[in-house]
Amino acid sequence: MVKSYGCQMNVYDATRMADLLGREGYAETQNEDDADLVILNTCHIREKAAEKIYSELGKLALAKRARDAEGREMKIVVAGCVAQAEGEEVLKRQRAVDVVVGPQSYHRLPDLLRQAKNGRRLTDTEFAVDDKFRALPNPSRAQIRARGVAAFVTVQEGCDKFCSFCVVPYTRGAEVSRPVADVLAETQRLVDAGVAEITLIGQNVNAYRGADQAGREWGLARLLERLAQIEGLARLRYTTSHPVDMTQALIDAHESIPKLMPYVHLPAQSGSDRVLKEMNRKHGAADYLDIVRRLRKARPDVAMSSDFIVGFPGESDADFEATMALVREIGFASSFSFKYSPRPGTPGAARDDQIDEEAKSERLAALQALLDEQRRAFNDAAVGREIDVLFEKPGRHEGQIAGKSPYLQAVHVEGPLEAIGREARVKIIAAGPNSLAGRLVSEEAKA
Ligand code: SAH
Ligand code: SF4
Ligand code: F3S
């Protein structure tokens, strides 16, 4: 059993770990009571994330002790970014953990598990991205199908940006792009098994610079263009982008590639130039607005999404107001927003002008109210329109199927299970805060 926290990269890594352990004879289970092996695939992005992991480990330790008493084994592995950041500390803090493995070395997990015997406990947090991708086995068609019609493909890992609040450059290492041929092969394999939507993922996915077989470097725009030629692939997305790497070529791709969905997750973090500078973001509010303007020119219906941090050290009321102004000016379809959480080892944490909790909470509430309002307005605007929905799974109620709009909204309709895996035209009849309801216009698949 793999429990994943954090970003899409961890979701992807969890599937690759499952593929890897499948080859070793492990079968996936969602039930802790059945599991011989529990992997916590952890996130270190905010303080609470790590705390949650230790409390989860405490519970697992009790379960493991009960198992031991029955003479049955249960191994506990800590993977992901807490594993990378804390390494052996995890073994010290929780005696029940057998293996600690980082996000760039989990291909060695089978070996580590074999060695973790008779009280022997191991840590491996080496950065070995290229080895990792070479060593991972390909999933079978059945495994791919079981995971559904929308899949992630990692194209880039790591980060060289060093935003002053963020641990990712320390846990994921330097930016590395996967070779073009690897990405094409993995995507083709997924599409052959029935996947209709691919989301290219990376900590800075638009910093992608992968080599082709002739040794030439491809940017993300070129990669998307090539992937769009794969027959049977209906939709392409990419996430997460950094404003600094938002090239005109990538913006133009939203105009020239119909399969590229009109939805861009582009974290702004703040609307105050002063705070952005101190965050080491290397862009100002005007740059962000300009990117959005150019994106909307290329693809007028593009929906924007962002991440925001409130209460970064030194953030004044006026700085926060600048964030609100940016949000008002753009109008986001959906967004994540967080209170600044000091992460040991990052420049932001060392500052002595931390914002008090109360002010952070107030600002977060005000920002989230505005973002919620915008999300509702965005959803409401879909009512009465016809849009293409890619159906992914049965709906919550009998006779319903559920899927996603091009703008990543959840949509449910009354419809046949056979429509799952295909795009179909839907007339939207109602909108809620988190989903849309519609009616199938035609049951003919488009592709
Ligand atoms: N690589 C992406 C996302 C990184 S983490 C990017 O550059 O945007 C996802 C989000 O977590 C960030 O966008 C940021 O909004 C938030 N985050 C990161 N570190 C944080 C911290 N110390 N406190 C609060 N939020 C944080
Ligand atoms: Fe973190 Fe900044 Fe890198 Fe994103 S770009 S992963 S926020 S350091
Ligand atoms: Fe978290 Fe690591 Fe992703 S810290 S957000 S799991 S890169």
Side-chain angles (χ1 to χ4, degrees):
M1 176 166 101
V2 189
K3 278 197 188 176
S4 257
Y5 304 82
C7 61
Q8 289 95 343
M9 194 71 75
N10 267 7
V11 176
Y12 174 89
D13 288 343
T15 62
R16 301 305 304 252
M17 281 190 256
D19 297 343
L20 182 65
L21 294 166
R23 197 175 59 178
E24 299 288 307
Y26 286 92
E28 269 184 270
T29 171
Q30 302 307 323
N31 187 348
E32 203 176 288
D33 296 332
D34 301 336
D36 306 316
L37 171 65
V38 178
I39 302 177
L40 293 190
N41 196 22
T42 60
C43 173
H44 202 49
I45 201 80
R46 280 171 293 276
E47 205 179 343
K48 289 216 180 80
E51 269 168 36
K52 267 207 328 232
I53 293 305
Y54 281 111
S55 89
E56 180 81 28
L57 282 174
K59 282 186 226 148
L60 283 174
L62 291 178
K64 181 174 179 163
R65 212 170 308 148
R67 281 292 182 85
D68 278 349
E70 295 168 17
R72 284 198 303 152
E73 194 191 42
M74 178 167 122
K75 281 208 166 99
I76 302 178
V77 174
V78 177
C81 291
V82 173
Q84 187 67 42
E86 309 231 321
E88 295 198 350
E89 246 338 276
V90 180
L91 295 183
K92 286 195 195 125
R93 238 178 108 170
Q94 181 45 264
R95 304 276 329 153
V97 174
D98 297 284
V99 173
V100 175
V101 69
Q104 312 302 11
S105 47
Y106 65 79
H107 55 292
R108 289 196 284 255
L109 199 45
D111 217 29
L112 293 163
L113 284 168
R114 271 189 291 273
Q115 291 179 52
K117 266 203 276 273
N118 309 323
R120 185 144 182 245
R121 304 156 75 217
L122 298 113
T123 305
D124 183 346
T125 52
E126 197 195 327
F127 282 118
V129 191
D130 295 344
D131 292 355
K132 175 176 84 176
F133 282 115
R134 264 196 300 275
L136 290 171
N138 296 327
S140 68
R141 281 175 76 93
Q143 278 172 317
I144 295 171
R145 276 173 186 279
R147 289 177 192 146
V149 302
F152 292 137
V153 172
T154 292
V155 299
Q156 178 278 335
E157 289 205 50
C159 181
D160 299 339
K161 303 280 190 299
F162 291 91
C163 300
S164 60
F165 51 82
C166 184
V167 291
V168 171
Y170 311 94
T171 62
R172 293 277 169 164
E175 280 175 12
V176 180
S177 294
R178 288 179 76 190
V180 172
D182 289 15
V183 175
L184 291 180
E186 189 169 331
T187 306
Q188 185 71 57
R189 209 160 36 237
L190 292 166
V191 173
D192 288 346
V195 168
E197 174 179 300
I198 295 285
T199 303
L200 304 181
I201 58 172
Q203 264 89 28
N204 277 291
V205 72
N206 58 344
Y208 179 79
R209 268 174 207 89
D212 68 9
Q213 264 140 343
R216 282 180 303 249
E217 270 190 5
W218 288 32
L220 189 66
R222 181 152 183 213
L223 184 67
L224 286 164
E225 201 178 303
R226 175 63 188 82
L227 289 170
Q229 291 166 7
I230 294 179
E231 221 172 300
L233 176 63
R235 292 179 163 189
L236 279 165
R237 301 180 185 277
Y238 61 93
T239 199
T240 293
S241 298
H242 192 292
V244 163
D245 295 311
M246 207 70 208
T247 59
Q248 190 58 41
L250 183 54
I251 292 173
D252 292 342
H254 282 273
E255 185 172 2
S256 62
I257 307 176
K259 287 182 183 180
L260 183 56
M261 291 294 104
Y263 180 95
V264 178
H265 181 63
L266 187 67
Q269 312 299 359
S270 169
S272 155
D273 286 341
R274 200 182 60 83
V275 172
L276 285 168
K277 191 157 195 300
E278 290 180 5
M279 285 177 162
N280 194 28
R281 288 290 291 181
K282 302 187 172 76
H283 60 84
D287 302 316
Y288 191 90
L289 287 166
D290 186 55
I291 292 166
V292 176
R293 185 187 58 74
R294 284 184 283 139
L295 272 167
R296 285 180 172 160
K297 193 163 158 229
R299 179 83 204 230
D301 66 333
V302 73
M304 295 304 304
S305 144
S306 178
D307 293 344
F308 294 97
I309 296 177
V310 299
F312 183 77
E315 185 188 69
S316 66
D317 285 340
D319 291 324
F320 174 66
E321 212 17 74
T323 299
M324 294 292 276
L326 179 91
V327 172
R328 278 190 212 103
E329 175 138 6
I330 288 172
F332 288 94
S334 87
S335 277
F336 298 99
S337 44
F338 315 97
K339 283 193 251 183
Y340 171 69
S341 165
R343 310 307 291 123
T346 63
R351 291 178 54 150
D352 55 13
D353 50 355
Q354 303 290 330
I355 303 297
D356 68 66
E357 243 351 85
E358 208 176 321
K360 281 191 207 172
S361 300
E362 260 172 41
R363 287 175 191 173
L364 186 65
L367 175 60
Q368 290 190 334
L370 177 59
L371 290 167
D372 273 356
E373 196 184 295
Q374 294 190 339
R375 182 162 42 93
R376 279 165 193 270
F378 183 74
N379 287 347
D380 287 345
V383 177
R385 285 185 57 202
E386 277 185 21
I387 53 180
D388 292 327
V389 173
L390 174 62
F391 287 100
E392 295 182 355
K393 57 186 183 200
R396 233 180 295 154
H397 303 289
E398 176 98 31
Q400 268 190 354
I401 50 176
K404 294 274 165 57
S405 79
Y407 317 104
L408 219 54
Q409 296 148 299
V411 182
H412 51 89
V413 304
E414 302 281 327
L417 293 175
E418 300 78 72
I420 291 171
R422 290 183 289 153
E423 263 189 321
R425 200 94 184 134
V426 170
K427 170 116 181 193
I428 302 301
I429 50 182
N434 299 311
S435 68
L436 304 175
R439 175 162 40 75
L440 283 174
V441 173
S442 134
E443 285 174 23
E444 290 289 295
K446 273 207 331 173

